[in-house]
Amino acid sequence: MILTVTLNTALDLTYRVPALVPHASHRVTQVIERPGGKGLNVARVLAALGHETVATGFAGGSTGEILRTHLAGGPVVDALIPTAGTTRRTVAIVDTATGDTTQLNEPGPTVTPAEWSTFTAHYTDLLADADAVALCGSLPPGIHVGAYAELVRLARAAGVPVLLDTSGEPLRRGIAARPDVVKPNADELAQLTGSREPHRATRDARRRGAHAVVSSLGPDGMLAATPDGLWRATPPAPVKGNPTGAGDSAVAGLLSGLVEKLPWPERLTRAVALSAATVLAPVAGEFERLAYEELLTRVTVTEQPAAA
């Protein structure tokens, strides 16, 4: 079983409009509603890849009830726990004329110390049956900034490999707890290391404690500093569409590859192919299956010089 953690879950709303024009009214041509938050997106992709997946985190209020209704009966096992606050919503507005997406993210509910204590006990119980865990996304108000570091240490104590995908101070503290993999994007990596040179920044991030660092370079693919070397994975060409959730699909690819004990080049190939195929899908947490299978044969992975 693969466990995903989404502390700041969301109900994702995707609106499609013919053209997004500031200061104007818009007629929405399509509305799609899905459970969201990075870890839930990861969970859906993992389930689509055939992995038994359990999702935990917080859900509360009427929005949380709708989110859990969407999860009911699906391939992802709902192990969310209640919070007194109301789960946030995120709104993605897709301009169908250009393919561009505008994202609006509400803040999450405030989590109390008692709720956090309940969650950590629940999380520890779930780790007993987990083959790997993904810790994903932002922290809702009320949770201390070292929360992910705490969860990394609990996973390591249980002997469960852990992937961390967050940003800012939670990433800085979390990476020091020595997760197996971290997956920052270029901006998050620059904020962590102070460098925008991808090779230098990725190697520097790994020296801060992570076993491996996989940096997302957007349409240019991924760069990975691993115990087996430095690797660059590149898609055959940029794809146009909705990039929301592309990084989450990359996390699913990396985590599934870890559980399946694939060598790093194959993990990166899967991650980049899934990320690109997600850009072609209408909503986060999904990917175009045929595009993914075709991209698997066309992603290029090269080993980089140690001093690049």
Side-chain angles (χ1 to χ4, degrees), residues 126-165:
L126 290 171
L127 286 173
D129 296 317
D131 299 310
V133 58
L135 308 174
C136 303
S138 61
L139 298 178
I143 293 184
H144 65 95
V145 73
Y148 279 133
E150 180 179 349
L151 298 183
V152 169
R153 287 191 290 268
L154 288 171
R156 288 179 56 82
V160 178
V162 57
L163 184 153
L164 176 62
D165 183 15

PDB file of all heavy atoms in Angstrom, residues 126-165:
ATOM      1  N   LEU A 126      -1.272   4.072  10.224  1.00  0.00           N
ATOM      2  CA  LEU A 126      -1.311   3.778   8.788  1.00  0.00           C
ATOM      3  C   LEU A 126       0.057   3.355   8.265  1.00  0.00           C
ATOM      4  O   LEU A 126       0.157   2.540   7.339  1.00  0.00           O
ATOM      5  CB  LEU A 126      -1.804   4.999   8.016  1.00  0.00           C
ATOM      6  CG  LEU A 126      -3.278   5.374   8.199  1.00  0.00           C
ATOM      7  CD1 LEU A 126      -3.566   6.730   7.559  1.00  0.00           C
ATOM      8  CD2 LEU A 126      -4.185   4.303   7.588  1.00  0.00           C
ATOM      9  N   LEU A 127       1.119   3.894   8.833  1.00  0.00           N
ATOM     10  CA  LEU A 127       2.469   3.546   8.388  1.00  0.00           C
ATOM     11  C   LEU A 127       2.767   2.058   8.548  1.00  0.00           C
ATOM     12  O   LEU A 127       3.601   1.507   7.818  1.00  0.00           O
ATOM     13  CB  LEU A 127       3.512   4.355   9.171  1.00  0.00           C
ATOM     14  CG  LEU A 127       3.651   5.838   8.822  1.00  0.00           C
ATOM     15  CD1 LEU A 127       4.591   6.511   9.812  1.00  0.00           C
ATOM     16  CD2 LEU A 127       4.155   6.018   7.392  1.00  0.00           C
ATOM     17  N   ALA A 128       2.085   1.408   9.464  1.00  0.00           N
ATOM     18  CA  ALA A 128       2.349  -0.012   9.715  1.00  0.00           C
ATOM     19  C   ALA A 128       2.098  -0.866   8.482  1.00  0.00           C
ATOM     20  O   ALA A 128       2.708  -1.934   8.320  1.00  0.00           O
ATOM     21  CB  ALA A 128       1.494  -0.502  10.879  1.00  0.00           C
ATOM     22  N   ASP A 129       1.209  -0.426   7.578  1.00  0.00           N
ATOM     23  CA  ASP A 129       0.881  -1.203   6.388  1.00  0.00           C
ATOM     24  C   ASP A 129       1.386  -0.552   5.101  1.00  0.00           C
ATOM     25  O   ASP A 129       1.039  -0.994   4.002  1.00  0.00           O
ATOM     26  CB  ASP A 129      -0.637  -1.388   6.283  1.00  0.00           C
ATOM     27  CG  ASP A 129      -1.201  -2.207   7.435  1.00  0.00           C
ATOM     28  OD1 ASP A 129      -0.576  -3.224   7.797  1.00  0.00           O
ATOM     29  OD2 ASP A 129      -2.258  -1.816   7.976  1.00  0.00           O
ATOM     30  N   ALA A 130       2.189   0.495   5.218  1.00  0.00           N
ATOM     31  CA  ALA A 130       2.597   1.262   4.040  1.00  0.00           C
ATOM     32  C   ALA A 130       3.931   0.781   3.484  1.00  0.00           C
ATOM     33  O   ALA A 130       4.857   0.449   4.235  1.00  0.00           O
ATOM     34  CB  ALA A 130       2.689   2.745   4.390  1.00  0.00           C
ATOM     35  N   ASP A 131       4.019   0.749   2.148  1.00  0.00           N
ATOM     36  CA  ASP A 131       5.288   0.470   1.466  1.00  0.00           C
ATOM     37  C   ASP A 131       6.059   1.754   1.191  1.00  0.00           C
ATOM     38  O   ASP A 131       7.280   1.722   0.991  1.00  0.00           O
ATOM     39  CB  ASP A 131       5.025  -0.254   0.144  1.00  0.00           C
ATOM     40  CG  ASP A 131       4.341  -1.592   0.343  1.00  0.00           C
ATOM     41  OD1 ASP A 131       4.824  -2.379   1.184  1.00  0.00           O
ATOM     42  OD2 ASP A 131       3.328  -1.852  -0.327  1.00  0.00           O
ATOM     43  N   ALA A 132       5.351   2.883   1.143  1.00  0.00           N
ATOM     44  CA  ALA A 132       5.966   4.192   0.930  1.00  0.00           C
ATOM     45  C   ALA A 132       4.922   5.244   1.270  1.00  0.00           C
ATOM     46  O   ALA A 132       3.717   4.960   1.305  1.00  0.00           O
ATOM     47  CB  ALA A 132       6.439   4.363  -0.512  1.00  0.00           C
ATOM     48  N   VAL A 133       5.402   6.473   1.523  1.00  0.00           N
ATOM     49  CA  VAL A 133       4.481   7.556   1.860  1.00  0.00           C
ATOM     50  C   VAL A 133       4.907   8.817   1.127  1.00  0.00           C
ATOM     51  O   VAL A 133       6.104   9.100   0.973  1.00  0.00           O
ATOM     52  CB  VAL A 133       4.427   7.790   3.394  1.00  0.00           C
ATOM     53  CG1 VAL A 133       5.792   8.120   3.960  1.00  0.00           C
ATOM     54  CG2 VAL A 133       3.434   8.884   3.736  1.00  0.00           C
ATOM     55  N   ALA A 134       3.916   9.590   0.662  1.00  0.00           N
ATOM     56  CA  ALA A 134       4.153  10.893   0.044  1.00  0.00           C
ATOM     57  C   ALA A 134       3.554  11.970   0.941  1.00  0.00           C
ATOM     58  O   ALA A 134       2.377  11.891   1.305  1.00  0.00           O
ATOM     59  CB  ALA A 134       3.524  10.953  -1.346  1.00  0.00           C
ATOM     60  N   LEU A 135       4.351  12.962   1.294  1.00  0.00           N
ATOM     61  CA  LEU A 135       3.915  14.108   2.092  1.00  0.00           C
ATOM     62  C   LEU A 135       3.860  15.302   1.152  1.00  0.00           C
ATOM     63  O   LEU A 135       4.901  15.744   0.647  1.00  0.00           O
ATOM     64  CB  LEU A 135       4.893  14.381   3.234  1.00  0.00           C
ATOM     65  CG  LEU A 135       5.249  13.183   4.128  1.00  0.00           C
ATOM     66  CD1 LEU A 135       6.337  13.582   5.129  1.00  0.00           C
ATOM     67  CD2 LEU A 135       4.006  12.680   4.856  1.00  0.00           C
ATOM     68  N   CYS A 136       2.660  15.835   0.923  1.00  0.00           N
ATOM     69  CA  CYS A 136       2.494  16.753  -0.198  1.00  0.00           C
ATOM     70  C   CYS A 136       1.736  18.019   0.154  1.00  0.00           C
ATOM     71  O   CYS A 136       0.706  17.969   0.839  1.00  0.00           O
ATOM     72  CB  CYS A 136       1.731  16.062  -1.331  1.00  0.00           C
ATOM     73  SG  CYS A 136       2.483  14.538  -1.936  1.00  0.00           S
ATOM     74  N   GLY A 137       2.230  19.148  -0.351  1.00  0.00           N
ATOM     75  CA  GLY A 137       1.461  20.375  -0.353  1.00  0.00           C
ATOM     76  C   GLY A 137       1.743  21.312   0.796  1.00  0.00           C
ATOM     77  O   GLY A 137       2.659  21.137   1.603  1.00  0.00           O
ATOM     78  N   SER A 138       0.892  22.332   0.892  1.00  0.00           N
ATOM     79  CA  SER A 138       1.036  23.377   1.893  1.00  0.00           C
ATOM     80  C   SER A 138       0.520  22.913   3.245  1.00  0.00           C
ATOM     81  O   SER A 138      -0.195  21.909   3.353  1.00  0.00           O
ATOM     82  CB  SER A 138       0.275  24.628   1.451  1.00  0.00           C
ATOM     83  OG  SER A 138      -1.117  24.336   1.314  1.00  0.00           O
ATOM     84  N   LEU A 139       0.880  23.661   4.278  1.00  0.00           N
ATOM     85  CA  LEU A 139       0.369  23.406   5.628  1.00  0.00           C
ATOM     86  C   LEU A 139      -0.814  24.332   5.886  1.00  0.00           C
ATOM     87  O   LEU A 139      -0.718  25.533   5.650  1.00  0.00           O
ATOM     88  CB  LEU A 139       1.447  23.669   6.675  1.00  0.00           C
ATOM     89  CG  LEU A 139       2.706  22.802   6.620  1.00  0.00           C
ATOM     90  CD1 LEU A 139       3.677  23.251   7.701  1.00  0.00           C
ATOM     91  CD2 LEU A 139       2.360  21.335   6.772  1.00  0.00           C
ATOM     92  N   PRO A 140      -1.923  23.810   6.388  1.00  0.00           N
ATOM     93  CA  PRO A 140      -3.032  24.690   6.756  1.00  0.00           C
ATOM     94  C   PRO A 140      -2.682  25.492   7.998  1.00  0.00           C
ATOM     95  O   PRO A 140      -1.764  25.140   8.746  1.00  0.00           O
ATOM     96  CB  PRO A 140      -4.178  23.706   7.029  1.00  0.00           C
ATOM     97  CG  PRO A 140      -3.506  22.439   7.419  1.00  0.00           C
ATOM     98  CD  PRO A 140      -2.219  22.395   6.657  1.00  0.00           C
ATOM     99  N   PRO A 141      -3.389  26.593   8.241  1.00  0.00           N
ATOM    100  CA  PRO A 141      -3.138  27.385   9.452  1.00  0.00           C
ATOM    101  C   PRO A 141      -3.260  26.529  10.711  1.00  0.00           C
ATOM    102  O   PRO A 141      -4.077  25.613  10.783  1.00  0.00           O
ATOM    103  CB  PRO A 141      -4.242  28.448   9.404  1.00  0.00           C
ATOM    104  CG  PRO A 141      -4.637  28.544   7.966  1.00  0.00           C
ATOM    105  CD  PRO A 141      -4.464  27.164   7.409  1.00  0.00           C
ATOM    106  N   GLY A 142      -2.424  26.826  11.678  1.00  0.00           N
ATOM    107  CA  GLY A 142      -2.480  26.137  12.966  1.00  0.00           C
ATOM    108  C   GLY A 142      -1.471  25.013  13.110  1.00  0.00           C
ATOM    109  O   GLY A 142      -1.141  24.625  14.231  1.00  0.00           O
ATOM    110  N   ILE A 143      -0.973  24.484  12.001  1.00  0.00           N
ATOM    111  CA  ILE A 143       0.012  23.393  12.071  1.00  0.00           C
ATOM    112  C   ILE A 143       1.415  23.995  12.074  1.00  0.00           C
ATOM    113  O   ILE A 143       1.737  24.856  11.249  1.00  0.00           O
ATOM    114  CB  ILE A 143      -0.161  22.411  10.902  1.00  0.00           C
ATOM    115  CG1 ILE A 143      -1.498  21.680  11.034  1.00  0.00           C
ATOM    116  CG2 ILE A 143       0.978  21.404  10.872  1.00  0.00           C
ATOM    117  CD1 ILE A 143      -1.735  20.625   9.985  1.00  0.00           C
ATOM    118  N   HIS A 144       2.262  23.532  12.973  1.00  0.00           N
ATOM    119  CA  HIS A 144       3.591  24.121  13.139  1.00  0.00           C
ATOM    120  C   HIS A 144       4.454  23.876  11.907  1.00  0.00           C
ATOM    121  O   HIS A 144       4.282  22.901  11.171  1.00  0.00           O
ATOM    122  CB  HIS A 144       4.264  23.563  14.399  1.00  0.00           C
ATOM    123  CG  HIS A 144       4.561  22.093  14.348  1.00  0.00           C
ATOM    124  ND1 HIS A 144       5.784  21.596  13.971  1.00  0.00           N
ATOM    125  CD2 HIS A 144       3.785  21.000  14.637  1.00  0.00           C
ATOM    126  CE1 HIS A 144       5.765  20.268  14.029  1.00  0.00           C
ATOM    127  NE2 HIS A 144       4.565  19.881  14.435  1.00  0.00           N
ATOM    128  N   VAL A 145       5.404  24.770  11.684  1.00  0.00           N
ATOM    129  CA  VAL A 145       6.168  24.774  10.444  1.00  0.00           C
ATOM    130  C   VAL A 145       7.070  23.543  10.313  1.00  0.00           C
ATOM    131  O   VAL A 145       7.482  23.176   9.208  1.00  0.00           O
ATOM    132  CB  VAL A 145       6.987  26.083  10.335  1.00  0.00           C
ATOM    133  CG1 VAL A 145       8.168  26.070  11.299  1.00  0.00           C
ATOM    134  CG2 VAL A 145       7.434  26.343   8.911  1.00  0.00           C
ATOM    135  N   GLY A 146       7.358  22.885  11.414  1.00  0.00           N
ATOM    136  CA  GLY A 146       8.167  21.668  11.366  1.00  0.00           C
ATOM    137  C   GLY A 146       7.349  20.396  11.246  1.00  0.00           C
ATOM    138  O   GLY A 146       7.867  19.295  11.475  1.00  0.00           O
ATOM    139  N   ALA A 147       6.077  20.514  10.837  1.00  0.00           N
ATOM    140  CA  ALA A 147       5.192  19.344  10.794  1.00  0.00           C
ATOM    141  C   ALA A 147       5.711  18.263   9.856  1.00  0.00           C
ATOM    142  O   ALA A 147       5.680  17.068  10.189  1.00  0.00           O
ATOM    143  CB  ALA A 147       3.785  19.774  10.375  1.00  0.00           C
ATOM    144  N   TYR A 148       6.170  18.653   8.677  1.00  0.00           N
ATOM    145  CA  TYR A 148       6.631  17.633   7.731  1.00  0.00           C
ATOM    146  C   TYR A 148       7.905  16.954   8.237  1.00  0.00           C
ATOM    147  O   TYR A 148       8.093  15.746   8.029  1.00  0.00           O
ATOM    148  CB  TYR A 148       6.857  18.233   6.355  1.00  0.00           C
ATOM    149  CG  TYR A 148       5.578  18.391   5.562  1.00  0.00           C
ATOM    150  CD1 TYR A 148       5.285  19.576   4.894  1.00  0.00           C
ATOM    151  CD2 TYR A 148       4.663  17.343   5.473  1.00  0.00           C
ATOM    152  CE1 TYR A 148       4.122  19.717   4.164  1.00  0.00           C
ATOM    153  CE2 TYR A 148       3.497  17.473   4.739  1.00  0.00           C
ATOM    154  CZ  TYR A 148       3.230  18.662   4.091  1.00  0.00           C
ATOM    155  OH  TYR A 148       2.070  18.794   3.367  1.00  0.00           O
ATOM    156  N   ALA A 149       8.765  17.708   8.900  1.00  0.00           N
ATOM    157  CA  ALA A 149       9.948  17.081   9.495  1.00  0.00           C
ATOM    158  C   ALA A 149       9.529  16.026  10.515  1.00  0.00           C
ATOM    159  O   ALA A 149      10.105  14.924  10.578  1.00  0.00           O
ATOM    160  CB  ALA A 149      10.827  18.144  10.154  1.00  0.00           C
ATOM    161  N   GLU A 150       8.507  16.330  11.301  1.00  0.00           N
ATOM    162  CA  GLU A 150       7.990  15.368  12.273  1.00  0.00           C
ATOM    163  C   GLU A 150       7.463  14.119  11.573  1.00  0.00           C
ATOM    164  O   GLU A 150       7.740  12.980  11.992  1.00  0.00           O
ATOM    165  CB  GLU A 150       6.881  16.023  13.096  1.00  0.00           C
ATOM    166  CG  GLU A 150       6.266  15.120  14.155  1.00  0.00           C
ATOM    167  CD  GLU A 150       5.179  15.802  14.964  1.00  0.00           C
ATOM    168  OE1 GLU A 150       5.033  17.043  14.860  1.00  0.00           O
ATOM    169  OE2 GLU A 150       4.449  15.090  15.692  1.00  0.00           O
ATOM    170  N   LEU A 151       6.708  14.306  10.484  1.00  0.00           N
ATOM    171  CA  LEU A 151       6.140  13.167   9.776  1.00  0.00           C
ATOM    172  C   LEU A 151       7.219  12.357   9.054  1.00  0.00           C
ATOM    173  O   LEU A 151       7.115  11.122   8.956  1.00  0.00           O
ATOM    174  CB  LEU A 151       5.078  13.643   8.774  1.00  0.00           C
ATOM    175  CG  LEU A 151       3.867  14.360   9.385  1.00  0.00           C
ATOM    176  CD1 LEU A 151       2.855  14.714   8.292  1.00  0.00           C
ATOM    177  CD2 LEU A 151       3.202  13.522  10.480  1.00  0.00           C
ATOM    178  N   VAL A 152       8.255  13.029   8.546  1.00  0.00           N
ATOM    179  CA  VAL A 152       9.379  12.305   7.940  1.00  0.00           C
ATOM    180  C   VAL A 152      10.038  11.415   8.982  1.00  0.00           C
ATOM    181  O   VAL A 152      10.331  10.233   8.735  1.00  0.00           O
ATOM    182  CB  VAL A 152      10.406  13.283   7.331  1.00  0.00           C
ATOM    183  CG1 VAL A 152      11.698  12.537   6.950  1.00  0.00           C
ATOM    184  CG2 VAL A 152       9.833  13.979   6.101  1.00  0.00           C
ATOM    185  N   ARG A 153      10.284  11.965  10.171  1.00  0.00           N
ATOM    186  CA  ARG A 153      10.946  11.173  11.219  1.00  0.00           C
ATOM    187  C   ARG A 153      10.095   9.984  11.643  1.00  0.00           C
ATOM    188  O   ARG A 153      10.621   8.884  11.893  1.00  0.00           O
ATOM    189  CB  ARG A 153      11.270  12.069  12.418  1.00  0.00           C
ATOM    190  CG  ARG A 153      12.435  13.025  12.160  1.00  0.00           C
ATOM    191  CD  ARG A 153      12.902  13.702  13.442  1.00  0.00           C
ATOM    192  NE  ARG A 153      11.925  14.658  13.931  1.00  0.00           N
ATOM    193  CZ  ARG A 153      11.922  15.956  13.629  1.00  0.00           C
ATOM    194  NH1 ARG A 153      12.847  16.442  12.820  1.00  0.00           N
ATOM    195  NH2 ARG A 153      11.014  16.764  14.132  1.00  0.00           N
ATOM    196  N   LEU A 154       8.781  10.155  11.712  1.00  0.00           N
ATOM    197  CA  LEU A 154       7.908   9.038  12.064  1.00  0.00           C
ATOM    198  C   LEU A 154       7.971   7.946  10.998  1.00  0.00           C
ATOM    199  O   LEU A 154       7.978   6.745  11.313  1.00  0.00           O
ATOM    200  CB  LEU A 154       6.473   9.528  12.244  1.00  0.00           C
ATOM    201  CG  LEU A 154       6.198  10.354  13.508  1.00  0.00           C
ATOM    202  CD1 LEU A 154       4.803  10.970  13.451  1.00  0.00           C
ATOM    203  CD2 LEU A 154       6.334   9.485  14.756  1.00  0.00           C
ATOM    204  N   ALA A 155       8.005   8.352   9.727  1.00  0.00           N
ATOM    205  CA  ALA A 155       8.099   7.361   8.651  1.00  0.00           C
ATOM    206  C   ALA A 155       9.436   6.626   8.699  1.00  0.00           C
ATOM    207  O   ALA A 155       9.493   5.388   8.545  1.00  0.00           O
ATOM    208  CB  ALA A 155       7.915   8.039   7.291  1.00  0.00           C
ATOM    209  N   ARG A 156      10.507   7.365   8.925  1.00  0.00           N
ATOM    210  CA  ARG A 156      11.825   6.730   9.004  1.00  0.00           C
ATOM    211  C   ARG A 156      11.893   5.765  10.184  1.00  0.00           C
ATOM    212  O   ARG A 156      12.470   4.677  10.076  1.00  0.00           O
ATOM    213  CB  ARG A 156      12.920   7.796   9.113  1.00  0.00           C
ATOM    214  CG  ARG A 156      13.151   8.560   7.809  1.00  0.00           C
ATOM    215  CD  ARG A 156      14.235   9.629   7.971  1.00  0.00           C
ATOM    216  NE  ARG A 156      15.485   9.067   8.441  1.00  0.00           N
ATOM    217  CZ  ARG A 156      16.381   8.487   7.662  1.00  0.00           C
ATOM    218  NH1 ARG A 156      16.151   8.372   6.360  1.00  0.00           N
ATOM    219  NH2 ARG A 156      17.500   8.011   8.167  1.00  0.00           N
ATOM    220  N   ALA A 157      11.277   6.126  11.303  1.00  0.00           N
ATOM    221  CA  ALA A 157      11.262   5.239  12.470  1.00  0.00           C
ATOM    222  C   ALA A 157      10.506   3.949  12.171  1.00  0.00           C
ATOM    223  O   ALA A 157      10.822   2.886  12.727  1.00  0.00           O
ATOM    224  CB  ALA A 157      10.643   5.957  13.667  1.00  0.00           C
ATOM    225  N   ALA A 158       9.507   4.038  11.285  1.00  0.00           N
ATOM    226  CA  ALA A 158       8.729   2.862  10.912  1.00  0.00           C
ATOM    227  C   ALA A 158       9.356   2.098   9.752  1.00  0.00           C
ATOM    228  O   ALA A 158       8.820   1.064   9.327  1.00  0.00           O
ATOM    229  CB  ALA A 158       7.303   3.288  10.532  1.00  0.00           C
ATOM    230  N   GLY A 159      10.462   2.605   9.210  1.00  0.00           N
ATOM    231  CA  GLY A 159      11.133   1.938   8.096  1.00  0.00           C
ATOM    232  C   GLY A 159      10.412   2.094   6.769  1.00  0.00           C
ATOM    233  O   GLY A 159      10.558   1.254   5.873  1.00  0.00           O
ATOM    234  N   VAL A 160       9.659   3.184   6.616  1.00  0.00           N
ATOM    235  CA  VAL A 160       8.872   3.414   5.402  1.00  0.00           C
ATOM    236  C   VAL A 160       9.532   4.517   4.579  1.00  0.00           C
ATOM    237  O   VAL A 160       9.729   5.630   5.080  1.00  0.00           O
ATOM    238  CB  VAL A 160       7.423   3.818   5.752  1.00  0.00           C
ATOM    239  CG1 VAL A 160       6.620   4.092   4.479  1.00  0.00           C
ATOM    240  CG2 VAL A 160       6.758   2.722   6.575  1.00  0.00           C
ATOM    241  N   PRO A 161       9.879   4.263   3.310  1.00  0.00           N
ATOM    242  CA  PRO A 161      10.444   5.320   2.468  1.00  0.00           C
ATOM    243  C   PRO A 161       9.462   6.478   2.323  1.00  0.00           C
ATOM    244  O   PRO A 161       8.258   6.274   2.213  1.00  0.00           O
ATOM    245  CB  PRO A 161      10.665   4.625   1.115  1.00  0.00           C
ATOM    246  CG  PRO A 161      10.657   3.159   1.414  1.00  0.00           C
ATOM    247  CD  PRO A 161       9.760   2.978   2.603  1.00  0.00           C
ATOM    248  N   VAL A 162      10.006   7.710   2.295  1.00  0.00           N
ATOM    249  CA  VAL A 162       9.140   8.882   2.295  1.00  0.00           C
ATOM    250  C   VAL A 162       9.602   9.887   1.240  1.00  0.00           C
ATOM    251  O   VAL A 162      10.795  10.162   1.099  1.00  0.00           O
ATOM    252  CB  VAL A 162       9.085   9.519   3.708  1.00  0.00           C
ATOM    253  CG1 VAL A 162      10.471   9.883   4.209  1.00  0.00           C
ATOM    254  CG2 VAL A 162       8.186  10.738   3.725  1.00  0.00           C
ATOM    255  N   LEU A 163       8.629  10.400   0.489  1.00  0.00           N
ATOM    256  CA  LEU A 163       8.858  11.466  -0.491  1.00  0.00           C
ATOM    257  C   LEU A 163       8.200  12.736   0.017  1.00  0.00           C
ATOM    258  O   LEU A 163       7.035  12.718   0.424  1.00  0.00           O
ATOM    259  CB  LEU A 163       8.294  11.079  -1.863  1.00  0.00           C
ATOM    260  CG  LEU A 163       8.530  12.048  -3.025  1.00  0.00           C
ATOM    261  CD1 LEU A 163       8.545  11.286  -4.353  1.00  0.00           C
ATOM    262  CD2 LEU A 163       7.509  13.180  -3.102  1.00  0.00           C
ATOM    263  N   LEU A 164       8.930  13.851  -0.023  1.00  0.00           N
ATOM    264  CA  LEU A 164       8.423  15.132   0.452  1.00  0.00           C
ATOM    265  C   LEU A 164       8.291  16.098  -0.713  1.00  0.00           C
ATOM    266  O   LEU A 164       9.243  16.315  -1.472  1.00  0.00           O
ATOM    267  CB  LEU A 164       9.377  15.707   1.502  1.00  0.00           C
ATOM    268  CG  LEU A 164       9.054  17.101   2.050  1.00  0.00           C
ATOM    269  CD1 LEU A 164       7.705  17.095   2.769  1.00  0.00           C
ATOM    270  CD2 LEU A 164      10.167  17.577   2.981  1.00  0.00           C
ATOM    271  N   ASP A 165       7.105  16.689  -0.856  1.00  0.00           N
ATOM    272  CA  ASP A 165       6.852  17.671  -1.908  1.00  0.00           C
ATOM    273  C   ASP A 165       6.135  18.872  -1.299  1.00  0.00           C
ATOM    274  O   ASP A 165       4.903  18.894  -1.207  1.00  0.00           O
ATOM    275  CB  ASP A 165       6.008  17.048  -3.028  1.00  0.00           C
ATOM    276  CG  ASP A 165       5.768  18.016  -4.192  1.00  0.00           C
ATOM    277  OD1 ASP A 165       6.477  19.034  -4.271  1.00  0.00           O
ATOM    278  OD2 ASP A 165       4.872  17.745  -5.009  1.00  0.00           O
TER     279      ASP A 165
END
